[in-house]
Amino acid sequence: GHISKRSIAATLIDLARRKYIIISHYGDDDFRIGRYHPFVLPSQVNQNGGSKHDEVHAILQAVATVRDTTDIKFFERLLLSKIFADDQTIANRTTVSYRIGHRLFSEKIAHFYTEIYTIATQRNYFFHNPGEYHRRYKIYGILTFFIGIGGFIIGIRFFPDTKTALAWVGMIVSALIVIWYAPQLPVLNDMGKRAYRDWSAFKTFLSDPHELSYQQNESGYFERYLPYAIAMGVEKQWIARFRTHPFTLPDWIATDSEYQSIEQFDAELFPLINWLGSALSLARTPTID
């Protein structure tokens, strides 16, 4: 029921694995993300005039109406349209930082999260859409918190009574508990619990400390499950299972470095992907979990 910045990092790696983007690393913090195979992004929405609701609707409609021959999903296209302008073929740290920072919050990233929640809800894993459900209780907690603060200040000013003050303090503490606990409220139904057990078992497999036996006809095995390992936070363990295998640099990575081992691949790629995931995640509207 919770989506983290790793979801963005995993999506980017999966798009690269599927040959839609290519990641170039040129030492230090310099990187480029280019379009590998062509895909269509919406033209930039004219944001002059109109209400905030109209602007958000226009953004979502523009992305949803894009058609091409790819298997890129709606939430993936939202993410790509935050990295690239519609006619842009290469993005680097400067252009990505500009596209993230030119406005306080990004509706595209917010709806990237919302769309993932929607897909999971449609698969009947949850009693409620986790994003909406958790957000509702968090908003209740925030409102109660400020009501408690206001009541405490007014009470101290006009009704200086210890019991009254303690009541307002109790409300404030209760509100903080609700805010903290809201993202952890259980939402899984029976099907979701079974799926959770299955994915937990898969995570155990990915993070198994034993090396995998080398089979030449399974050269894409590492890349196939790498996005899952990133999403589950066990990419280091998954990479370690291949440390004695012959390593070939994936063709969606371009670099001027001589990669001698899979550990070097890990050391250079993941700081970049983590930066992208963190920067894009921080751009989302703050009420999205």
Side-chain angles (χ1 to χ4, degrees):
H2 180 71
I3 302 173
S4 72
K5 64 184 181 182
R6 286 183 168 275
S7 304
I8 293 177
T11 301
L12 290 171
I13 291 296
D14 192 52
L15 286 165
R17 184 189 66 82
R18 288 153 54 199
K19 306 297 192 298
Y20 288 121
I21 60 175
I22 185 168
I23 301 169
S24 303
H25 184 259
Y26 295 103
D28 297 326
D29 293 328
D30 190 17
F31 71 87
R32 295 176 186 172
I33 298 178
R35 301 196 195 199
Y36 196 137
H37 288 169
F39 53 84
V40 178
L41 292 177
S43 299
Q44 297 302 298
V45 178
N46 184 359
Q47 298 175 359
N48 296 323
S51 68
K52 180 69 173 177
H53 175 77
D54 293 338
E55 178 185 324
V56 174
H57 178 75
I59 290 172
L60 297 179
Q61 187 177 46
V63 178
T65 53
V66 168
R67 295 289 181 271
D68 56 23
T69 58
T70 70
D71 64 348
I72 297 176
K73 303 173 182 66
F74 178 45
F75 74 91
E76 294 173 328
R77 213 177 295 270
L78 281 167
L79 183 62
L80 288 169
S81 65
K82 188 62 181 176
I83 296 174
F84 299 99
D86 55 322
D87 57 350
Q88 185 182 11
T89 57
I90 296 176
N92 58 25
R93 180 182 284 266
T94 301
T95 58
V96 170
S97 297
Y98 172 77
R99 290 183 62 77
I100 292 172
H102 81 285
R103 58 188 304 167
L104 184 58
F105 297 118
S106 169
E107 294 295 339
K108 290 178 180 177
I109 300 301
H111 283 278
F112 167 87
Y113 280 71
T114 300
E115 181 63 16
I116 293 175
Y117 281 129
T118 300
I119 292 170
T121 304
Q122 290 171 346
R123 294 184 180 182
N124 296 319
Y125 293 149
F126 304 114
F127 292 115
H128 313 279
N129 181 304
E132 296 175 0
Y133 185 65
H134 293 160
R135 184 166 60 250
R136 186 186 316 142
Y137 279 93
K138 185 179 287 186
I139 291 172
Y140 289 160
I142 292 171
L143 290 174
T144 304
F145 174 79
F146 283 108
I147 291 171
I149 290 289
F152 180 79
I153 293 172
I154 293 171
I156 290 295
R157 178 68 178 83
F158 297 103
F159 309 101
D161 178 76
T162 302
K163 291 182 179 179
T164 303
L166 287 174
W168 289 116
V169 170
M171 178 181 286
I172 294 169
V173 172
S174 299
L176 290 173
I177 292 172
V178 171
I179 293 169
W180 176 83
Y181 191 68
Q184 304 177 57
L185 290 172
V187 290
L188 289 174
N189 57 26
D190 288 340
M191 182 182 294
K193 290 175 182 176
R194 287 195 297 271
Y196 182 82
R197 287 193 294 267
D198 290 343
W199 284 109
S200 296
F202 184 57
K203 179 179 179 180
T204 300
F205 160 73
L206 294 174
S207 58
D208 191 301
H210 300 95
E211 293 183 27
L212 288 166
S213 59
Y214 176 66
Q215 297 182 27
Q216 190 171 3
N217 61 347
E218 292 187 350
S219 57
Y221 197 55
F222 166 70
E223 294 178 42
R224 188 186 318 158
Y225 295 131
L226 181 59
Y228 296 95
I230 293 171
M232 295 178 180
V234 294
E235 70 276 3
K236 298 286 186 185
Q237 295 92 322
W238 179 238
I239 286 170
R241 301 199 72 183
F242 294 85
R243 59 180 175 268
T244 61
H245 292 204
F247 179 68
T248 302
L249 188 67
D251 55 7
W252 43 267
I253 288 284
T255 179
D256 56 2
S257 300
E258 290 288 338
Y259 279 76
Q260 302 296 330
S261 67
I262 199 168
E263 286 87 353
Q264 186 183 359
F265 168 81
D266 170 34
E268 294 199 4
L269 175 66
F270 287 104
L272 158 63
I273 295 301
N274 284 334
W275 179 87
L276 271 172
S278 298
L280 290 164
S281 178
L282 288 172
R284 75 194 189 279
T285 51
T287 56
I288 301 296
D289 288 326

